[in-house]
Each structure stands twice: as structure tokens, then as C-alpha cells.
């Protein structure tokens, strides 16, 4: 029963996503994100630095604020957070 509900919800969300409606999926992701507005370590281009993710863009990239208060768009990298 739980698996059926999961698959049904996944199918609905996936169908919306492939049909171009990404806003619903992004809203769910934002609401359940453990990293937004929290300081994290970003491993990107052979370096590690502290940043604060502030938004997830429609293309899936991450908008982060650096320690210098600059805003950058990150397309790929690895995020680590201590809970």
C-alpha cells in the first residue's frame, strides 16, 4: 500500500516534470531541503569553501551566497553539511 502510494505520487510528479511543469517538483524539493539557508561546505573545481545555498533554480542549479556576500550559480559540485 505504501509502495503503491509512493509510485503513484512519483508518476504524477514525473509526468508533470517531463511535460515542462518543474515548479511543483522544485517547491517540494525546497520545502524538504536540509541545505537552504544553512552554511555548508561546497566542493567545486578542486577547492572547498563555505557557502550558504539560498535558492534552487528551475534548471536545478543552486544559487549560493559566499562568505563575501557574492551570489553565485552552481551547476555541479558536492555539498556537505553537519547536522
Amino acid at each position: 500500500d505504501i509502495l503503491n502510494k509512493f509510485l503513484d505520487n512519483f508518476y504524477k510528479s514525473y509526468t508533470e516534470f517531463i511535460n515542462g511543469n518543474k515548479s511543483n517538483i522544485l517547491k517540494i524539493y525546497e520545502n524538504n531541503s536540509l541545505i537552504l539557508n544553512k552554511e555548508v561546505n561546497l566542493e567545486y573545481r578542486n577547492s572547498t569553501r563555505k557557502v550558504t545555498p539560498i535558492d534552487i533554480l528551475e534548471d536545478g542549479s543552486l544559487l549560493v551566497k559566499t562568505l563575501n556576500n557574492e551570489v553565485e550559480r552552481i551547476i555541479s559540485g558536492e555539498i556537505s553539511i553537519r547536522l
Side-chain angles (χ1 to χ4, degrees), residues 57-73:
L57 303 179
E58 190 168 310
D59 65 358
S61 61
L62 193 63
L63 210 57
V64 299
K65 186 187 293 187
T66 68
L67 293 177
N68 298 331
N69 286 326
E70 296 175 358
V71 176
E72 296 179 17
R73 180 175 161 251

Side-chain angles (χ1 to χ4, degrees), residues 32 72 75:
N32 292 289
E72 296 179 17
I75 297 172

Side-chain angles (χ1 to χ4, degrees), residues 29 32-40 52-54 62 79 81:
Y29 186 73
N32 292 289
S33 174
L34 296 175
I35 65 167
L36 286 181
N37 301 308
K38 299 205 174 30
E39 189 175 271
V40 300
T52 302
I54 55 175
L62 193 63
I79 295 285
I81 184 171

